[in-house]
Amino acid sequence: MSDFRLKVFLEVKKHLNFSKASEALFITQPAVSKHIKTLEDELGVQLFERTKQGVKLTLEGEKYSAFAEEIMNLYEEGKFVMNQVKNKYEGTLKIGASTTIAQYILPKILAQFASQHKGIEITLFNNNTEEIENLLIQKKIDLGFIEGISGKSQLKYAEIGKDELVCTVNANHPLAKRNSCSVHDILQFPWVFREQGSGSLDILNVYLKQIGIHRKDIQTEAYLGSTESIKSYLKVSECIGFVSVYSITDEILAGKLKILDIDNLEMLRSFYSVELHGSLKDIPKLFLNFLNNNIK
């Protein structure tokens, strides 16, 4: 039985759509149908039910999928071990990361990793913490990197580094020339926040609560979908924003943004790797080890 046939089966299971499976595998839709029909004939069961609403797994297909996944995992593990012997790795790595990590931490590390492992094709998905966790649970990515922990029971978290959220304003802001500011000072100006579901927003809310600031005390001007949009917004407004210190190095050096030192307020957070419970696949494990040895 061809391992590719199993790959076709699992791809159709993933998408529940023959057309999308063909696109993912770079083969024609009739070829997908032929592989599934051949597999069904060999097993003597129907694996998928075709309905007006689309495709769904039969009971037999659901039971068989567990064995197919195990076979493919063993096949990939065998290839990986042989690649280790040759010191040459081949395969794919699908990772997801929340905005700060995806934009300011991972690119350099991914470039270093890719230069050492030419045979590994890398895909990086950028989304907020909540969506990265969902992609892992749906098995659409192999490994995630996020800011903060939601504590989902299906997931395993491990700290990989530290970050600081800093109060940031444009260089011409009325508070920009002060050596330090009080919480009362920054409450006199409107604030701009990351969107709901963002790890940055969750961490910020925790620290604000600790120092007795309630959302009703803040003049909220906007919720924006990325750190880059917050930085751009701050450059042309008198808003207060909180962003990762990693994200504003260039703007600080260029004199476009300024970090405000707020009395008795230091917002530290951790970056985490996140994976499904169980054994991490070989190539994601290889990358995670590489990252832990190279992150600063």
Side-chain angles (χ1 to χ4, degrees):
M1 184 184 298
S2 167
D3 61 90
F4 186 74
R5 200 165 294 150
L6 292 182
K7 184 180 283 190
V8 172
F9 166 72
L10 292 173
E11 202 66 39
V12 176
K13 177 200 171 188
K14 175 181 176 181
H15 297 284
L16 292 179
N17 184 294
F18 279 52
S19 178
K20 289 182 179 179
S22 70
E23 291 173 6
L25 293 165
F26 301 102
I27 61 176
T28 65
Q29 186 172 333
V32 170
S33 299
K34 183 178 179 180
H35 280 296
I36 295 300
K37 179 65 168 61
T38 302
L39 184 57
E40 288 177 329
D41 289 343
E42 288 181 356
L43 295 172
V45 296
Q46 185 178 351
L47 299 171
F48 294 99
E49 182 180 351
R50 288 75 165 174
T51 69
K52 292 181 179 179
Q53 289 72 37
V55 177
K56 68 176 183 178
L57 277 171
T58 62
L59 178 61
E60 293 83 358
E62 194 68 58
K63 288 183 177 180
Y64 184 69
S65 67
F67 294 100
E69 287 176 358
E70 185 174 352
I71 291 168
M72 290 304 297
N73 287 338
L74 286 170
Y75 178 79
E76 291 300 322
E77 186 177 341
K79 281 176 58 180
F80 183 85
V81 171
M82 293 303 99
N83 288 334
Q84 277 185 311
V85 174
K86 298 183 294 182
N87 195 29
K88 181 180 179 181
Y89 300 90
E90 295 180 353
T92 61
L93 173 65
K94 294 182 180 179
I95 57 179
S98 52
T99 304
T100 300
I101 304 173
Q103 291 185 334
Y104 310 109
I105 307 295
L106 282 181
K108 181 178 179 181
I109 295 174
L110 283 172
Q112 293 169 340
F113 180 79
S115 71
Q116 294 183 26
H117 305 291
K118 301 291 188 182
I120 297 177
E121 181 182 289
I122 301 168
T123 304
L124 172 62
F125 297 91
N126 177 12
N127 215 312
N128 63 39
T129 293
E130 184 178 5
E131 287 304 313
I132 295 302
E133 291 179 326
N134 289 336
L135 287 174
L136 262 178
I137 291 169
Q138 296 164 16
K139 298 184 178 180
K140 293 183 178 179
I141 58 175
D142 304 309
L143 187 62
F145 298 96
I146 59 174
E147 308 142 27
I149 294 178
S150 68
K152 288 185 170 63
S153 60
Q154 307 99 309
L155 302 176
K156 175 184 175 182
Y157 303 84
E159 184 178 312
I160 59 168
K162 294 285 188 182
D163 184 27
E164 182 180 2
L165 288 180
V166 290
C167 184
T168 307
V169 294
N170 76 59
N172 297 315
H173 194 279
L175 298 177
K177 293 184 179 180
R178 295 197 185 186
N179 292 326
S180 65
C181 301
S182 67
V183 170
H184 174 76
D185 291 330
I186 60 176
L187 286 176
Q188 306 311 304
F189 295 88
W191 289 25
V192 58
F193 294 96
R194 281 290 306 277
E195 82 285 3
Q196 299 292 338
S198 160
S200 297
L201 180 61
D202 291 341
I203 295 296
L204 179 58
N205 285 335
V206 168
Y207 277 103
L208 293 178
K209 185 176 180 180
Q210 287 178 359
I211 62 173
I213 295 180
H214 302 284
R215 296 304 290 272
K216 62 181 178 60
D217 302 323
I218 301 169
Q219 306 170 53
T220 301
E221 185 163 310
Y223 291 92
L224 300 175
S226 72
T227 298
E228 289 299 310
S229 59
I230 288 179
K231 293 192 309 182
S232 296
Y233 200 100
L234 293 176
K235 289 174 187 176
V236 294
S237 76
E238 288 194 347
C239 279
I240 299 289
F242 286 85
V243 296
S244 166
V245 70
Y246 282 103
S247 72
I248 54 173
T249 303
D250 292 341
E251 287 79 9
I252 296 298
L253 291 174
K256 295 180 179 179
L257 293 176
K258 171 113 185 262
I259 296 173
L260 298 184
D261 184 13
I262 310 301
D263 298 334
N264 303 314
L265 181 60
E266 185 180 32
M267 297 188 175
L268 299 176
R269 64 176 175 178
S270 296
F271 291 143
Y272 296 89
S273 64
V274 57
E275 61 192 81
L276 288 169
H277 280 294
S279 178
L280 191 63
K281 291 181 180 179
D282 292 304
I283 288 179
K285 186 188 297 182
L286 180 72
F287 176 72
L288 185 57
N289 290 337
F290 183 88
L291 178 138
N292 284 323
N293 289 330
N294 289 276
I295 195 168
K296 296 179 181 179

